[in-house]
C-alpha cells in the first residue's frame, strides 16, 4: 500500500505531509527574532485558506467579508483572552490593539443591489493584498506564540492541566486565522499545542518501536543531538529541560558514551522516574540513582579508549517534561591529556559526526563567555548543516558576560541559523534546589533584571528553548513522516513476504517453543524407558560379568598347560578348590557396585545422546541442567541400590544351587563365550600371517621354537616344572636377539609377531580343547562342575545378573524414570522466567530467525497502525 493511500485520496503529492506553514519565532517581546523562520507541520487547511481565498469565485465577497469579520473577531477574542492571562506580555496586547484598529479602518467595497435570478459580476477582493493584512497575520501569530510561551512556563509552574485555558487561546487564534483566511466557517481545529504533543509522542513511540526492528537508517525519525565543547554547559541545559540533576558529573571525562534520552510526558501520572530499557532495571524514581547508573556505565569504558559509540538508552517519564528525544554526546576537546589516547579528539569528532547527520536536529551548545568563532559545535554543525536549517544555537552562561555583549552574540551574524539562538542561564547551584523550577525562576529573574534582553527582543530562557525544541522536533518529525511511512511499508511488505514464504504464516511464541522442546524430550525419554527395560539391563550386566569370567578363565585355566588334560584330571580335589576360588573372584565384594555403576553410566550416556541430538543440541545450559538433574537423582539412589544388590548376591559367594536346566543354559553360554574368544584369537592370528607372509612367519616361529627347546633343555637341569610354559624361564619370551639372529628393526618386528603368533596358536588350541570338553558328554551334567568351570561360572553370572537387575530396577531405574520428567517440568518448564524462556528460544537459530521475522512483522504492523491513527487524527 502506498503512503498516498494510507493518508487518504484527498491529499495530493506535494501537499501530503500534513501541512507546511511558515511561522516566525517570537521571543519574549514578540517583535520577531532576526527573521528566523521555520516551517510547521500542522493545519494544512489553514495554509490552503491563505493561498486560495482570493480565487474563491462566486462566494468571494461573502467569504471575504466573513473572513474580515471572523479575523477581527478572532483578534478581539484573542486579545480578550490574552488580557485575562496575566503572564501575556504587553507587546501582544499592543499588537492585537493595532490589528483591531486596522479592522475598523478597512473599507469594504460597496455591493450592487441583487436582482432575483440574476447575479451581477462581483468585484474580486484579494484579502492578502489589502494594506495591513500582514500585520493582522503577525498579530495573530504573535498571540499564538505568546500563548505557547506562556504554556511552556505554565507547564513548569502549574502543570499542564492549569495551562489548558491558554491552549484554548491558542486554539482560538488558530481557528480564527484559519477561518479568516478561508473566508468560511471551518470546523474547529484541534488545539495545536496538544496536537503537537500528541504527534511527537506518537512518533517517539513509533521511533522506539522502529529501533527494536533494526537499525535501518530509512526508519529513523529525528532526535535532538546535543553537541558542544567540554564544560560548555550541555549537561546543565539538558538537566534544566528535564528539571532534575541526573547526568554524570566530574572532571575525568565522564560522558564517554552517547546517552540517548527519551523524555515522555506522562500527563496522567505525577510519578517521575527513569528506565534503562537495555538493562531491565525497572522504574528508578531516585534521580541520584539514575546519575550513578549513567556514571558507572560511562566509566566502564576504559581510559585507554575514553569514548565508545555504544549508546546508553534512558527514558524519563514525568508530567513536567515535554515529549522529546535527545542525545547527549561527549564534549569536544581541544587537546587530549597525558593518559588519554592521542586519537581521542578525532574519535569524539567522528562520533558526533555520526549523530549530527540528517534527519537529526543539532543543538549546538556554546558557552557565551567563549569566542563563538572558536566554537567546535558551530563548526561541526556548519559542516553537517551548511544552511543552518536544522541547527539551534544555545548560548549558555549568559550571566558571565555583559548583557549588551550577550545580546549581540545571540544575533551572531557570522553563524546565522534558521532556527536561531537561545540564551540560557542554567548554572546549577544558582538555586539550592537543583535544576528544577527554582532554577527556571532564578534564570527568569536574571533576564528580567537586565532590560537589555527585553529591549533587544532576544530569545532567552529555558522555557523558550524547551518550546522551540518541541516545535522543531515535531516539525522535523512531521516532515520525515512520509519517508518513514514509505520505508515502513517496504519493510512490512518484506517481513510479510518472508513470514509467508519461510514460515507459511505459522505463528510461534518462545513459550510454545519451550513447551514443544520439553514435550519432545519427555516423549523421547519415555521411548527410552521402554527400550531400556529389564532384558536390556540384564544384557548389560551379564556382558560385564562375562568379561570378568573371560578374564578369570584366562588367568586360572586357559593359560595353564594342564588344562588340556582337565577332562581327565578334573576329579582331583585341586580342581574343585580352584573352582571355589574362581567363584570368590566373581562374587567378590564390588560386583554389586560395579553393576549399579554400569547401569548408571549407561543411563547417563543415553541421556547425553538424547540431549545432544534434536533441538536440545542448541541449548547447552538446559542440557547441563538436565544432566545435573539426572546425576542428582541417580546419585541419591546409588548407595541404597548398591547395598541392596551386594546383600542379595552375598549367598552366591558360598554356594550356587543349580538345576539341570540352568546347567544346560550355562554350558550353552560358556560355549558361546569360548566360540567368541576363539573366533577373535583366530582372526588375530590370521591378521599376523597376512602381514608377514605365512612362509616368513613359519621360519621365524621355527627359529623361536628351536631356541626355546634349547633354553628349555638347559633349564631342565634346574627346574623342569617350567618347561614349555609360555612366558616361563627359557621360553621364547626370553630368547635374545642374538640367539634369534635379529639384525634389523624389520627382523625385530617379525620375531615379535612370530612370538605373538606362537602364543595365539597355543591359545587357540587350548580354546578348541575347552570347546571340545564343553560339547562332550562329560559337561552335559551338572555333577561334573570341576570339569567344566566355564559353565558353572556362567550359571553363577546368570544368577547374579537376575538378582542384581531386579534390585537395580526397583531401587534405581523406576525412581529415575519417574522423577526425571517431573524434575524437568518443575525446574525447566514451569520454573523459567520470561527472560529465560526468551533466551532458551533464541538459542535455537531456526526459532530465533522465525521469532525475529514474526516480531518484525508484528512491530511494523503496530507502527503502521500508529501512523494510520496519526493520519486519522491530523
Ligand atoms: N555561570 C554559569 N555556569 C554554568 C552555566 N551552565 C553551566 N555552568 C557551569 O559550567 C560547568 C560545566 O557545565 P556542564 O553542564 O557540566 O558542562 P558540559 O558541557 O556538560 O560538560 P562535559 O560533560 O564535561 O562536557 C559546570 O561547573 C556548571 O556549573 C551557566 O549558565 N552559568
Amino acid at each position: 500500500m502506498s503512503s498516498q493511500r494510507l493518508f487518504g485520496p484527498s491529499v495530493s503529492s506535494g501537499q501530503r505531509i500534513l501541512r507546511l506553514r511558515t511561522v516566525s519565532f517570537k521571543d519574549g517581546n514578540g517583535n520577531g527574532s532576526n527573521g528566523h523562520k521555520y516551517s510547521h507541520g500542522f493545519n494544512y487547511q489553514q495554509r490552503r485558506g491563505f493561498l486560495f481565498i482570493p480565487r474563491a469565485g462566486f462566494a468571494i465577497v461573502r467569504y471575504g467579508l466573513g473572513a474580515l469579520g471572523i479575523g477581527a473577531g478572532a483578534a478581539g477574542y484573542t486579545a480578550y483572552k490574552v488580557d485575562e492571562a496575566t503572564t501575556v506580555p504587553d507587546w501582544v496586547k499592543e499588537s492585537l490593539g493595532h490589528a483591531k484598529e486596522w479592522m475598523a479602518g478597512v473599507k469594504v467595497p460597496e455591493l450592487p443591489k441583487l436582482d432575483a435570478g440574476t447575479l451581477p459580476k462581483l468585484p474580486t477582493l484579494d484579502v492578502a493584498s489589502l494594506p495591513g493584512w500582514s500585520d493582522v497575520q503577525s498579530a495573530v501569530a504573535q498571540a499564538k506564540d505568546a500563548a505557547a510561551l506562556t504554556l511552556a512556563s505554565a507547564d513548569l509552574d502549574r502543570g499542564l492541566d492549569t495551562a489548558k485555558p491558554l491552549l484554548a487561546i491558542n486554539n482560538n487564534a488558530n481557528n480564527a486565522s484559519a477561518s479568516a483566511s478561508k473566508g468560511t466557517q471551518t470546523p474547529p481545529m484541534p488545539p495545536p499545542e496538544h496536537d503537537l504533543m500528541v504527534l511527537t509522542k506518537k512518533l517517539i513511540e513509533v521511533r522506539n518501536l522502529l529501533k527494536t526492528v533494526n537499525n535501518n537508517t530509512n526508519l529513523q525519525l529525528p532526535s535532538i543531538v546535543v553537541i558542544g565543547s567540554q564544560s560548555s554547559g550541555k549537561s546543565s541545559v539538558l538537566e534544566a529541560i528535564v528539571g532534575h540533576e541526573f547526568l554524570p558529573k566530574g572532571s575525568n571525562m565522564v560522558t564517554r558514551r552517547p546517552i540517548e534520552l527519551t523524555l515522555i510526558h506522562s500527563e496522567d501520572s505525577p510519578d517521575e522516574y527513569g528506565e534503562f530499557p537495555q538493562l531491565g532495571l525497572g522504574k528508578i524514581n531516585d534521580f541520584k540513582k539514575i546519575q550513578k547508573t549513567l556514571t558507572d556505565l560511562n566509566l566502564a569504558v576504559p581510559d585507554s579508549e575514553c569514548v565508545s559509540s555504544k549508546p546508553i538508552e534512558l527514558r524519563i517519564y514525568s508530567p513536567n517534561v515535554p515529549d522529546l528525544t535527545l542525545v547527549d554526546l561527549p564534549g569536544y576537546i581541544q587537546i587530549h591529556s597525558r593518559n588519554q589516547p592521542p586519537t581521542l579528539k578525532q574519535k569524539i569528532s567522528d562520533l558526533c559526526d555520526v549523530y549530527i547527520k540528517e534527519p537529526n536536529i543539532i543543538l549546538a551548545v556554546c558557552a557565551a563567555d567563549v569566542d563563538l568563532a572558536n566554537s567546535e559545535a558551530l563548526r561541526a554543525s556548519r559542516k553537517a548543516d551548511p544552511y543552518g536549517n536544522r541547527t539551534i544555537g544555545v548560548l549558555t552562561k549568559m550571566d558571565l558576560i555583559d548583557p549588551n555583549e550577550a545580546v549581540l552574540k545571540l544575533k551572531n551574524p557570522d553563524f546565522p541559523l534558521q532556527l536561531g539562538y537561545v540564551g540560557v542561564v542554567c548554572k546549577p547551584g544558582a538555586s539550592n534546589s537543583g535544576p528544577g523550577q527554582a532554577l527556571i525562576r532564578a534564570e527568569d529573574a536574571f533576564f528580567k533584571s537586565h532590560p537589555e534582553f527585553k529591549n533587544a527582543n532576544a530569545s532567552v530562557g529555558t522555557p523558550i528553548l524547551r518550546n522551540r525544541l518541541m516545535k522543531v522536533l515535531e516539525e522535523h518529525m512531521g516532515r520525515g513522516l512520509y519517508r518513514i511511512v514509505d520505508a515502513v511499508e517496504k519493510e512490512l511488505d518484506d517481513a510479510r513476504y518472508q513470514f509467508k514464504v519461510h514460515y507459511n504464516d505459522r505463528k510461534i511464541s518462545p513459550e510454545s517453543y519451550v513447551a514443544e522442546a520439553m514435550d519432545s524430550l519427555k516423549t523421547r525419554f519415555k521411548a527410552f524407558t521402554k527400550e531400556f527395560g529389564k532384558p536390556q539391563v540384564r544384557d548389560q550386566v551379564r556382558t560385564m560379568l562375562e568379561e570378568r569370567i573371560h578374564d578369570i578363565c584366562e588367568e586360572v585355566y586357559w593359560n595353564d598347560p594342564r588344562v588340556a588334560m582337565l577332562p581327565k584330571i578334573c576329579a582331583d580335589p585341586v580342581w574343585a578348590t580352584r573352582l571355589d576360588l574362581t567363584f570368590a573372584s566373581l562374587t567378590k565384594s564390588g560386583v554389586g557396585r560395579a553393576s549399579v555403576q554400569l547401569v548408571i553410566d549407561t543411563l547417563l550416556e543415553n541421556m547425553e545422546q538424547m540431549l545432544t541430538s534434536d533441538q536440545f543440541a542448541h541449548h547447552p545450559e538446559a542440557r547441563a541442567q538436565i544432566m545435573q538433574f539426572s546425576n542428582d537423582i541417580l546419585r541419591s539412589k546409588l548407595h541404597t541400590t548398591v547395598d541392596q544388590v551386594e546383600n542379595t548376591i552375598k549367598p552366591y559367594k558360598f554356594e550356587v544351587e543349580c538345576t539341570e536346566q540352568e546347567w544346560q543354559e550355562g554350558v550353552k553360554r560358556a560355549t558361546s563365550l569360548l566360540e567368541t574368544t576363539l573366533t577373535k584369537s583366530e582372526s588375530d592370528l590370521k591378521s599376523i600371517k597376512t602381514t608377514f607372509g605365512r612362509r616368513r612367519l613359519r621360519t621365524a616361529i621355527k627359529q623361536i621354537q628351536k631356541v626355546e627347546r634349547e633354553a628349555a633343555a638347559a633349564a631342565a637341569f634346574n627346574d623342569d616344572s617350567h618347561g614349555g610354559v609360555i612366558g616361563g624361564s627359557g621360553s621364547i619370551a626370553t630368547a635374545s636377539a642374538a640367539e634369534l639372529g635379529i639384525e634389523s628393526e624389520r627382523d625385530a618386528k617379525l620375531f615379535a609377531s612370530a612370538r605373538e603368533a606362537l602364543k595365539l596358536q597355543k591359545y587357540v588350541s587350548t580354546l578348541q580343547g575347552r570347546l571340545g570338553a564343553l560339547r562332550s558328554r562329560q559337561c552335559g551334567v551338572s555333577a561334573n562342575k570341576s570339569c567344566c568351570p566355564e559353565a558353572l561360572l556362567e550359571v553363577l553370572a546368570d544368577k547374579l545378573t537376575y538378582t542384581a537387575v531386579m534390585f537395580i530396577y526397583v531401587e534405581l531405574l523406576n525412581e529415575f524414570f519417574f522423577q526425571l520428567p517431573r524434575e524437568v517440568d518443575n525446574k525447566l518448564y514451569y520454573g523459567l522466567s520470561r527472560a529465560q524462556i526468551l533466551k532458551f528460544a533464541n538459542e535455537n537459530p531456526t526459532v530465533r530467525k522465525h521469532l525475529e521475522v514474526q516480531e518484525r512483522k508484528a512491530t511494523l504492523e503496530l507502527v503502521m497502525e500508529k501512523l494510520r491513527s496519526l493520519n486519522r487524527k491530523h
Side-chain angles (χ1 to χ4, degrees), residues 228-237 239 247-251 253-255 328-332 365 395-400 424-429:
S229 300
Q230 252 190 350
S231 299
S232 53
K234 299 180 294 301
S235 309
S236 305
V237 170
E239 288 178 343
L247 287 166
K249 298 276 157 53
S251 53
M253 197 177 161
V254 280
T255 310
D328 188 19
L329 288 166
Y332 291 108
V365 177
L395 298 190
T396 58
K397 311 188 185 181
M398 296 293 275
D399 54 322
L400 296 185
V424 292
V425 176
C426 305
K427 188 183 175 184

Short mmCIF file of all heavy atoms in Angstrom, two decimals, residues 228-237 239 247-251 253-255 328-332 365 395-400 424-429, ligand 1:
data_model
loop_
_atom_site.label_atom_id
_atom_site.label_comp_id
_atom_site.label_asym_id
_atom_site.label_seq_id
_atom_site.Cartn_x
_atom_site.Cartn_y
_atom_site.Cartn_z
N GLY A 228 28.77 20.10 21.84
CA GLY A 228 29.40 21.30 22.40
C GLY A 228 30.74 20.91 23.00
O GLY A 228 31.00 19.73 23.23
N SER A 229 31.55 21.92 23.24
CA SER A 229 32.86 21.65 23.83
C SER A 229 32.68 21.19 25.26
O SER A 229 31.62 21.40 25.86
CB SER A 229 33.72 22.91 23.82
OG SER A 229 33.88 23.31 22.49
N GLN A 230 33.73 20.59 25.78
CA GLN A 230 33.67 20.16 27.18
C GLN A 230 33.41 21.35 28.07
O GLN A 230 33.96 22.43 27.85
CB GLN A 230 35.01 19.52 27.56
CG GLN A 230 34.86 18.03 27.69
CD GLN A 230 36.08 17.38 28.30
OE1 GLN A 230 37.11 18.02 28.47
NE2 GLN A 230 35.94 16.13 28.63
N SER A 231 32.55 21.16 29.03
CA SER A 231 32.19 22.18 30.01
C SER A 231 31.48 23.37 29.40
O SER A 231 31.44 24.44 30.00
CB SER A 231 33.43 22.69 30.76
OG SER A 231 34.00 21.63 31.44
N SER A 232 30.92 23.20 28.20
CA SER A 232 30.19 24.33 27.62
C SER A 232 28.82 24.47 28.28
O SER A 232 28.17 25.51 28.13
CB SER A 232 30.02 24.12 26.12
OG SER A 232 29.44 22.86 25.87
N GLY A 233 28.40 23.44 29.00
CA GLY A 233 27.13 23.52 29.73
C GLY A 233 26.05 22.62 29.15
O GLY A 233 24.86 22.81 29.42
N LYS A 234 26.43 21.61 28.36
CA LYS A 234 25.45 20.71 27.73
C LYS A 234 24.59 20.02 28.78
O LYS A 234 23.35 20.03 28.69
CB LYS A 234 26.18 19.61 26.91
CG LYS A 234 27.03 20.13 25.79
CD LYS A 234 27.71 19.02 25.05
CE LYS A 234 28.75 18.24 25.85
NZ LYS A 234 29.84 19.04 26.37
N SER A 235 25.26 19.42 29.75
CA SER A 235 24.52 18.68 30.77
C SER A 235 23.58 19.61 31.52
O SER A 235 22.43 19.26 31.81
CB SER A 235 25.47 18.04 31.76
OG SER A 235 26.44 17.32 31.07
N SER A 236 24.07 20.81 31.83
CA SER A 236 23.23 21.75 32.59
C SER A 236 21.97 22.09 31.81
O SER A 236 20.88 22.20 32.38
CB SER A 236 24.01 23.02 32.91
OG SER A 236 25.21 22.68 33.56
N VAL A 237 22.11 22.26 30.49
CA VAL A 237 20.95 22.60 29.67
C VAL A 237 19.96 21.43 29.69
O VAL A 237 18.75 21.61 29.91
CB VAL A 237 21.38 22.92 28.22
CG1 VAL A 237 20.17 23.03 27.31
CG2 VAL A 237 22.18 24.21 28.18
N GLU A 239 19.64 19.10 31.87
CA GLU A 239 19.04 18.93 33.19
C GLU A 239 17.99 20.01 33.45
O GLU A 239 16.96 19.75 34.07
CB GLU A 239 20.14 18.96 34.26
CG GLU A 239 20.96 17.69 34.24
CD GLU A 239 22.09 17.66 35.24
OE1 GLU A 239 22.46 18.75 35.75
OE2 GLU A 239 22.62 16.57 35.51
N LEU A 247 22.62 13.68 35.12
CA LEU A 247 23.71 13.32 34.19
C LEU A 247 25.03 13.17 34.94
O LEU A 247 25.23 13.78 35.99
CB LEU A 247 23.81 14.38 33.09
CG LEU A 247 22.66 14.29 32.07
CD1 LEU A 247 22.60 15.54 31.22
CD2 LEU A 247 22.80 13.06 31.19
N PRO A 248 25.95 12.37 34.39
CA PRO A 248 27.23 12.17 35.07
C PRO A 248 28.00 13.48 35.19
O PRO A 248 27.99 14.28 34.25
CB PRO A 248 27.99 11.20 34.15
CG PRO A 248 27.01 10.70 33.16
CD PRO A 248 25.88 11.64 33.11
N LYS A 249 28.63 13.66 36.33
CA LYS A 249 29.41 14.89 36.55
C LYS A 249 30.82 14.51 36.97
O LYS A 249 31.02 13.47 37.61
CB LYS A 249 28.80 15.73 37.69
CG LYS A 249 27.40 16.21 37.43
CD LYS A 249 27.40 17.49 36.62
CE LYS A 249 26.09 17.68 35.91
NZ LYS A 249 24.90 17.60 36.72
N GLY A 250 31.77 15.33 36.64
CA GLY A 250 33.14 15.07 37.09
C GLY A 250 34.11 15.61 36.08
O GLY A 250 33.76 15.93 34.94
N SER A 251 35.37 15.66 36.52
CA SER A 251 36.37 16.26 35.65
C SER A 251 37.02 15.24 34.73
O SER A 251 37.61 15.58 33.73
CB SER A 251 37.44 16.93 36.52
OG SER A 251 37.91 15.95 37.42
N MET A 253 36.44 13.31 32.26
CA MET A 253 35.69 12.98 31.05
C MET A 253 34.64 11.90 31.31
O MET A 253 34.80 10.72 30.97
CB MET A 253 36.66 12.50 29.95
CG MET A 253 35.89 12.59 28.65
SD MET A 253 36.77 12.17 27.21
CE MET A 253 35.37 11.89 26.17
N VAL A 254 33.55 12.31 31.93
CA VAL A 254 32.57 11.32 32.40
C VAL A 254 31.54 10.95 31.34
O VAL A 254 30.89 9.92 31.47
CB VAL A 254 31.87 11.78 33.68
CG1 VAL A 254 32.72 11.52 34.89
CG2 VAL A 254 31.45 13.21 33.59
N THR A 255 31.36 11.79 30.32
CA THR A 255 30.44 11.38 29.25
C THR A 255 31.27 10.70 28.18
O THR A 255 31.95 11.35 27.39
CB THR A 255 29.67 12.59 28.67
OG1 THR A 255 29.12 13.32 29.76
CG2 THR A 255 28.56 12.16 27.75
N ASP A 328 22.77 13.08 24.32
CA ASP A 328 23.90 13.81 24.91
C ASP A 328 25.18 13.11 24.46
O ASP A 328 25.29 11.89 24.55
CB ASP A 328 23.78 13.77 26.44
CG ASP A 328 24.81 14.68 27.10
OD1 ASP A 328 25.33 15.57 26.41
OD2 ASP A 328 25.07 14.50 28.31
N LEU A 329 26.12 13.90 23.97
CA LEU A 329 27.34 13.30 23.43
C LEU A 329 28.56 13.79 24.20
O LEU A 329 28.52 14.84 24.85
CB LEU A 329 27.49 13.70 21.95
CG LEU A 329 26.51 13.01 21.01
CD1 LEU A 329 26.49 13.71 19.66
CD2 LEU A 329 26.87 11.55 20.82
N PRO A 330 29.66 13.04 24.13
CA PRO A 330 30.89 13.53 24.78
C PRO A 330 31.26 14.90 24.21
O PRO A 330 31.07 15.16 23.02
CB PRO A 330 31.94 12.48 24.38
CG PRO A 330 31.18 11.26 23.99
CD PRO A 330 29.86 11.74 23.46
N GLY A 331 31.77 15.77 25.08
CA GLY A 331 32.12 17.12 24.66
C GLY A 331 33.39 17.14 23.80
O GLY A 331 34.30 16.34 24.01
N TYR A 332 33.41 18.07 22.84
CA TYR A 332 34.62 18.24 22.02
C TYR A 332 35.77 18.66 22.91
O TYR A 332 35.58 19.43 23.86
CB TYR A 332 34.40 19.32 20.96
CG TYR A 332 33.42 18.95 19.88
CD1 TYR A 332 32.17 19.55 19.83
CD2 TYR A 332 33.76 18.02 18.91
CE1 TYR A 332 31.26 19.22 18.83
CE2 TYR A 332 32.86 17.69 17.91
CZ TYR A 332 31.62 18.28 17.87
OH TYR A 332 30.74 17.95 16.89
N VAL A 365 25.66 23.72 21.53
CA VAL A 365 25.78 24.43 22.81
C VAL A 365 27.14 25.14 22.87
O VAL A 365 28.19 24.52 22.68
CB VAL A 365 25.63 23.44 23.99
CG1 VAL A 365 25.82 24.15 25.32
CG2 VAL A 365 24.27 22.76 23.94
N LEU A 395 23.29 29.48 23.69
CA LEU A 395 24.40 30.16 24.37
C LEU A 395 24.17 30.04 25.87
O LEU A 395 23.18 30.56 26.41
CB LEU A 395 24.47 31.63 23.96
CG LEU A 395 24.72 31.91 22.48
CD1 LEU A 395 25.01 33.38 22.24
CD2 LEU A 395 25.88 31.07 21.94
N THR A 396 25.06 29.28 26.51
CA THR A 396 24.95 29.09 27.96
C THR A 396 25.78 30.16 28.67
O THR A 396 26.53 30.90 28.03
CB THR A 396 25.47 27.70 28.35
OG1 THR A 396 26.82 27.61 27.91
CG2 THR A 396 24.66 26.59 27.70
N LYS A 397 25.65 30.20 29.96
CA LYS A 397 26.46 31.07 30.82
C LYS A 397 26.31 32.55 30.43
O LYS A 397 27.29 33.31 30.41
CB LYS A 397 27.95 30.65 30.77
CG LYS A 397 28.15 29.16 30.98
CD LYS A 397 29.59 28.76 31.12
CE LYS A 397 29.72 27.26 31.20
NZ LYS A 397 31.05 26.74 31.37
N MET A 398 25.08 32.92 30.09
CA MET A 398 24.82 34.31 29.71
C MET A 398 25.11 35.26 30.88
O MET A 398 25.31 36.45 30.69
CB MET A 398 23.34 34.48 29.31
CG MET A 398 22.95 33.71 28.08
SD MET A 398 23.74 34.33 26.60
CE MET A 398 22.66 35.64 26.14
N ASP A 399 25.10 34.72 32.08
CA ASP A 399 25.35 35.54 33.26
C ASP A 399 26.81 35.95 33.37
O ASP A 399 27.17 36.81 34.15
CB ASP A 399 24.93 34.78 34.53
CG ASP A 399 25.60 33.40 34.61
OD1 ASP A 399 25.74 32.74 33.54
OD2 ASP A 399 25.99 33.00 35.71
N LEU A 400 27.67 35.30 32.58
CA LEU A 400 29.10 35.57 32.74
C LEU A 400 29.60 36.70 31.85
O LEU A 400 30.77 37.05 31.91
CB LEU A 400 29.92 34.29 32.47
CG LEU A 400 29.68 33.13 33.43
CD1 LEU A 400 30.63 31.98 33.11
CD2 LEU A 400 29.86 33.56 34.88
N VAL A 424 20.66 31.03 27.62
CA VAL A 424 20.16 30.47 28.88
C VAL A 424 21.15 30.70 30.02
O VAL A 424 22.33 30.95 29.78
CB VAL A 424 19.89 28.94 28.76
CG1 VAL A 424 18.73 28.63 27.86
CG2 VAL A 424 21.13 28.19 28.33
N VAL A 425 20.62 30.61 31.21
CA VAL A 425 21.48 30.59 32.40
C VAL A 425 21.05 29.35 33.18
O VAL A 425 19.97 29.32 33.76
CB VAL A 425 21.29 31.85 33.26
CG1 VAL A 425 22.13 31.75 34.53
CG2 VAL A 425 21.71 33.09 32.47
N CYS A 426 21.84 28.31 33.09
CA CYS A 426 21.46 27.04 33.74
C CYS A 426 22.49 26.67 34.78
O CYS A 426 22.87 25.51 34.89
CB CYS A 426 21.38 25.91 32.73
SG CYS A 426 20.29 26.23 31.38
N LYS A 427 22.94 27.63 35.51
CA LYS A 427 24.01 27.31 36.42
C LYS A 427 23.46 26.51 37.60
O LYS A 427 22.71 27.04 38.41
CB LYS A 427 24.64 28.61 36.93
CG LYS A 427 25.88 28.38 37.72
CD LYS A 427 26.41 29.68 38.25
CE LYS A 427 27.59 29.41 39.15
NZ LYS A 427 28.08 30.61 39.76
N PRO A 428 23.82 25.25 37.70
CA PRO A 428 23.34 24.50 38.85
C PRO A 428 23.91 25.13 40.10
O PRO A 428 25.05 25.59 40.10
CB PRO A 428 23.90 23.09 38.64
CG PRO A 428 24.49 23.07 37.27
CD PRO A 428 24.73 24.48 36.87
N GLY A 429 23.13 25.20 41.13
CA GLY A 429 23.61 25.83 42.35
C GLY A 429 23.18 27.27 42.43
O GLY A 429 23.28 27.92 43.47
N1 LIG B 1 27.83 30.68 35.47
C1 LIG B 1 27.30 29.68 34.82
N2 LIG B 1 27.86 28.47 34.90
C2 LIG B 1 27.30 27.43 34.23
C3 LIG B 1 26.14 27.62 33.45
N3 LIG B 1 25.83 26.43 32.89
C4 LIG B 1 26.74 25.54 33.31
N4 LIG B 1 27.64 26.16 34.14
C5 LIG B 1 28.78 25.54 34.77
O1 LIG B 1 29.68 25.10 33.78
C6 LIG B 1 30.33 23.93 34.18
C7 LIG B 1 30.18 22.89 33.11
O2 LIG B 1 28.81 22.61 32.97
P1 LIG B 1 28.30 21.22 32.43
O3 LIG B 1 26.83 21.34 32.28
O4 LIG B 1 28.80 20.13 33.25
O5 LIG B 1 29.00 21.21 31.04
P2 LIG B 1 29.13 20.01 29.99
O6 LIG B 1 29.24 20.64 28.66
O7 LIG B 1 28.03 19.07 30.18
O8 LIG B 1 30.49 19.39 30.42
P3 LIG B 1 31.11 17.99 29.93
O9 LIG B 1 30.07 16.93 30.11
O10 LIG B 1 32.27 17.82 30.81
O11 LIG B 1 31.49 18.18 28.52
C8 LIG B 1 29.70 23.49 35.48
O12 LIG B 1 30.52 23.91 36.53
C9 LIG B 1 28.42 24.29 35.54
O13 LIG B 1 28.04 24.64 36.86
C10 LIG B 1 25.56 28.93 33.37
O14 LIG B 1 24.57 29.17 32.69
N5 LIG B 1 26.19 29.90 34.08
#
